[in-house]
Amino acid sequence: MPSLPSLVLFVFLLLVIGCTSRPFYPLPSGDIGSRKPLQTFRPYNIAHRGSNGELPEETNPAYMRAIEEGADFIETDVLSSKDGVLICFHDVTLDNTTDIANHKKFADRKRTYEVQGENMTGFFTVDFTLEELKSLRVKQRCHFRDQQFNGKFQIITFEEFITIALDAHRVVGIYPEIKNPVFINQHVKWSHGKRFEDKFVETLQKYGYKGSYLSKDWLRQPVFIQSFAPTSLVYISNKTDLPKILLIDDVTVPTQDTNQSYWEITSDKYLDYIKQYVVGIGPWKDTVVPAVKNYMITPTDLVTRAHTHNLQVHPYTFRNEFPFLHFNFSQDPYMEYDYWLNEIGIDGLFTDFTGSLHRFQEWTSDHQHDDDDDNITASKILHKIALLLSSYK
């Protein structure tokens, strides 16, 4: 007859197996339906260019880190190479975030082009093939951030970015931007008269992205398509019903392709028009709550009016560091999150520090996940078993 400690140990093993609900054989990989779903009960944590507060932006490791830290969506900017391959990169020039200056063989590629009405000089992505772009290495944009990873990572393609999300252990959404479409369409030509926006949508469709906001298809593979260019969003609305977000720049910056003012595109009349094509807006946060001498002043009514038009609001960009935190928050990013999420009432936000936002939401959320309940129950049972075992020592 087995001893009591042996019996307790046996029961312990059964409980561990039962509480974790995991079989001894491996689960199949790649099945989207078996992954933990996207949370939709609280504002979205959008990893701006990945976890770029810690790692160089728009790189595989930056996106992997953001997923590990709890991002709901990983955000990227989409541009094109000379040979028409869509890449993940923010600037139309390579100068600020790559080691292009160290590649002497490319010294004659420097050009001056007009971008959004201004002349810009540098090394442009549209003058390099994908193979050439892959020979470069990325570096941290901000000098006050960790520089130890400079020169270690490549530029990635839009398709590589998508696979990072699809390979995650849970459902992770993507949030790609149609970046500088007027400029890209001027300098890159695709066959059969296709344009940048066509290639963008075709890539999403190739990987199974489809469905309107919160539909069954969308929840399996969530995506928001964003752009500062209204005509691009209107154009692709005839090609996909995926949800779209109109990005809104500073009050001094007109739209890229229609030359509309900030005041025009945030008017009630325009919000009523654009809601036919988009599910929300993505304004720069200082246009929602203006700041004077680094102190925030009275909030505007943009969020309230957007919500009246049934539009979500996903402002950008939240950063934890001194140059970006207004004095109102005493250099505390958690105070900033609390203000925007609970007082202003936004529906999601772009952050360079995914982990800090995730921790804040986990600590302050009233919602209890089923997984969390299971873990709490298992922990309590294991604690009781440990007490039982200790009495037989």
Side-chain angles (χ1 to χ4, degrees):
M1 183 175 181
S3 64
L4 185 56
S6 299
L7 182 61
V8 171
L9 182 59
F10 176 71
V11 173
F12 165 79
L13 292 172
L14 289 178
L15 285 169
V16 170
I17 295 167
C19 291
T20 56
S21 301
R22 290 296 301 273
F24 284 120
Y25 53 85
L27 294 174
S29 61
D31 181 5
I32 295 174
S34 67
R35 295 187 295 167
K36 183 178 177 180
L38 176 75
Q39 71 79 19
T40 57
F41 63 89
R42 65 188 181 196
Y44 294 124
N45 181 338
I46 306 160
H48 181 240
R49 307 180 206 170
S51 189
N52 82 92
E54 302 172 53
L55 292 158
E57 65 187 45
E58 318 258 27
T59 60
N60 184 307
Y63 292 121
M64 296 291 287
R65 178 70 61 83
I67 292 171
E68 291 170 5
E69 293 179 336
D72 299 315
F73 288 84
I74 51 175
E75 187 261 358
T76 194
D77 305 280
V78 181
L79 292 170
S80 179
S81 65
K82 180 180 180 178
D83 46 347
V85 180
L86 302 190
I87 61 169
C88 295
F89 205 75
H90 180 269
D91 301 352
V92 291
T93 59
L94 299 160
D95 304 62
N96 290 331
T97 57
T98 76
D99 61 353
I100 185 69
N102 299 335
H103 294 254
K104 302 306 180 186
K105 63 180 179 180
F106 296 140
D108 63 347
R109 301 286 183 92
K110 184 171 283 192
R111 300 286 187 273
T112 298
Y113 293 134
E114 182 181 311
V115 183
Q116 292 179 232
E118 302 288 338
N119 285 336
M120 182 180 294
T121 299
F123 296 93
F124 290 79
T125 67
V126 294
D127 291 323
F128 293 80
T129 65
L130 177 63
E131 182 179 2
E132 291 171 333
L133 291 172
K134 285 285 190 180
S135 71
L136 307 178
R137 292 297 179 269
V138 180
K139 62 183 180 180
Q140 175 60 254
R141 178 183 296 273
C142 301
H143 68 86
F144 46 82
R145 291 178 175 171
D146 191 354
Q147 304 292 312
Q148 68 172 307
F149 300 104
N150 290 351
K152 296 184 181 296
F153 311 131
Q154 288 182 319
I155 292 172
I156 64 172
T157 66
F158 186 30
E159 293 194 48
E160 289 171 330
F161 165 82
I162 289 172
T163 61
I164 293 170
L166 294 181
D167 287 344
H169 66 283
R170 57 186 172 84
V171 174
V172 174
I174 61 172
Y175 209 126
E177 178 183 346
I178 303 172
K179 193 76 177 178
N180 294 101
V182 174
F183 176 80
I184 295 298
N185 282 317
Q186 287 173 343
H187 293 273
V188 182
K189 302 301 177 184
W190 286 274
S191 60
H192 308 295
K194 291 184 177 179
R195 50 193 273 186
F196 182 28
E197 292 90 341
D198 296 317
K199 300 300 292 185
F200 180 94
V201 172
E202 286 174 5
T203 304
L204 290 173
Q205 292 172 338
K206 174 182 175 180
Y207 285 88
Y209 287 93
K210 59 184 178 180
S212 58
Y213 181 61
L214 293 182
S215 67
K216 183 177 179 180
D217 287 329
W218 186 87
L219 287 170
R220 283 171 58 84
Q221 294 181 224
V223 57
F224 286 106
I225 297 171
Q226 57 175 332
S227 184
F228 284 99
T231 57
S232 286
L233 295 174
V234 173
Y235 177 81
I236 67 170
S237 68
N238 294 316
K239 296 180 174 295
T240 179
D241 59 351
L242 290 170
K244 303 156 196 75
I245 300 289
L246 174 63
L247 297 175
I248 299 175
D249 214 321
D250 194 4
V251 296
T252 61
V253 181
T255 55
Q256 291 182 8
D257 54 350
T258 56
N259 201 36
Q260 293 170 286
S261 71
Y262 169 86
W263 307 108
E264 181 179 353
I265 64 172
T266 58
S267 67
D268 284 319
K269 181 178 180 180
Y270 194 78
L271 293 178
D272 194 52
Y273 160 74
I274 201 67
K275 74 179 183 182
Q276 302 173 69
Y277 306 102
V278 304
V279 299
I281 58 175
W284 180 41
K285 64 177 185 174
D286 280 10
T287 66
V288 178
V289 184
V292 176
K293 296 182 179 179
N294 208 32
Y295 281 96
M296 294 191 314
I297 56 176
T298 305
T300 69
D301 63 352
L302 181 58
V303 174
T304 300
R305 290 192 298 106
H307 286 167
T308 299
H309 290 277
N310 201 29
L311 292 168
Q312 295 188 43
V313 183
H314 300 172
Y316 65 92
T317 300
F318 290 76
R319 300 176 169 106
N320 293 3
E321 300 118 335
F322 170 77
F324 307 111
L325 273 171
H326 295 310
F327 292 146
N328 310 63
F329 302 117
S330 304
Q331 296 302 294
D332 184 348
Y334 295 115
M335 286 182 64
E336 183 179 38
Y337 292 144
D338 181 63
Y339 174 79
W340 281 89
L341 295 172
N342 298 318
E343 293 193 39
I344 301 300
I346 57 177
D347 308 287
L349 60 85
F350 295 81
T351 176
D352 284 2
F353 293 90
T354 311
S356 63
L357 174 56
H358 181 71
R359 284 190 295 274
F360 173 80
Q361 290 188 297
E362 288 290 286
W363 293 337
T364 59
S365 175
D366 292 331
H367 183 91
Q368 289 292 327
H369 297 287
D370 292 337
D371 288 351
D372 293 339
D373 290 340
D374 289 343
N375 290 336
I376 291 170
T377 301
S379 177
K380 289 179 178 178
I381 292 173
L382 294 178
H383 178 66
K384 290 180 179 179
I385 291 174
L387 291 176
L388 283 172
L389 290 174
S390 65
S391 66
Y392 285 91
K393 290 182 179 179

